[in-house]
Amino acid sequence: MHKKTAVTAALCLLAAAFLIFAAGCVGSDQTPAAKEGDTVSVFYTLTVDGVEKESNFGSTPLEFTIGAGSMIKGFNDGVIGMKTGETKTIEVSPENGYGVYSKEKKTELPLSDLKEAFGTVSVGDIVEVYAGYTKMNAEILSIDENNDTAEAAVNHPLAGKTLTFTIKLDSITPAK
């Protein structure tokens, strides 16, 4: 009888273990994946044309809320579905990055300010200007000395570039 009880107990334990496994409590990955609305912290390296442009590996992670609009679309979308500790490399097209370079994004700049900052400027020159806190490249399209203006095409310095990001997801704070 004692042997029969031991066999019965072992079978019951085996059945219980199988039920737990089948329910997904053992042997399956329960780590949550990053989704829209979650706040995430990431480490990343940005490479453009094979040249590393910036990286925060070994420093403070970048924190942002997925879908809040603070990141370029390609980076934002690339983080969706990642799990804590996961690293992946993504390529972001200009359309999902900083846009396609366009000479149609025109503005007028004070010629005297340009001369003060850069000395002389000529048609075709590309100078760095600021729109608020954002550094932009301004390609001088025309100069009007009489009106003290220069017409310029203003684009982000990475406009028209395919961006390669290596991203490591450091943490996820689920949306509330």
Side-chain angles (χ1 to χ4, degrees):
M1 194 84 154
H2 181 60
K3 191 175 191 181
K4 185 176 179 183
T5 304
V7 170
T8 302
L11 288 174
C12 286
L13 284 174
L14 186 60
F18 176 77
L19 288 173
I20 291 170
F21 179 79
C25 295
V26 174
S28 69
D29 186 4
Q30 294 297 311
T31 306
K35 63 186 180 315
E36 186 101 7
D38 289 346
T39 299
V40 295
S41 293
V42 298
F43 293 102
Y44 71 92
T45 297
L46 166 61
T47 305
V48 180
D49 299 329
V51 177
E52 183 178 307
K53 294 293 186 181
E54 62 184 56
S55 179
N56 71 343
F57 277 90
S59 183
T60 304
L62 168 69
E63 183 176 287
F64 69 98
T65 300
I66 298 173
S70 61
M71 302 300 294
I72 59 171
K73 182 176 178 3
F75 191 94
N76 181 86
D77 293 353
V79 173
I80 294 173
M82 289 183 71
K83 296 180 179 187
T84 301
E86 180 179 354
T87 300
K88 74 177 181 180
T89 300
I90 60 170
E91 280 198 358
V92 177
S93 67
E95 295 81 6
N96 291 316
Y98 292 99
V100 176
Y101 184 88
S102 172
K103 287 191 178 189
E104 301 304 312
K105 298 177 183 176
K106 296 177 186 176
T107 192
E108 283 192 354
L109 301 171
L111 185 57
S112 55
D113 289 354
L114 292 172
K115 286 181 178 180
E116 184 178 320
F118 304 106
T120 61
V121 290
S122 303
V123 172
D125 287 353
I126 297 176
V127 296
E128 291 180 351
V129 297
Y130 284 86
Y133 293 105
T134 305
K135 181 173 73 171
M136 305 291 274
N137 283 350
E139 180 181 357
I140 307 300
L141 302 174
S142 66
I143 294 174
D144 184 345
E145 296 275 353
N146 295 331
N147 292 317
D148 189 41
T149 59
E151 184 178 51
V154 180
N155 289 272
H156 189 280
L158 296 175
K161 301 286 186 180
T162 297
L163 313 173
T164 303
F165 288 98
T166 299
I167 304 168
K168 180 178 183 183
L169 184 58
D170 186 56
S171 70
I172 301 171
T173 303
K176 295 180 183 178

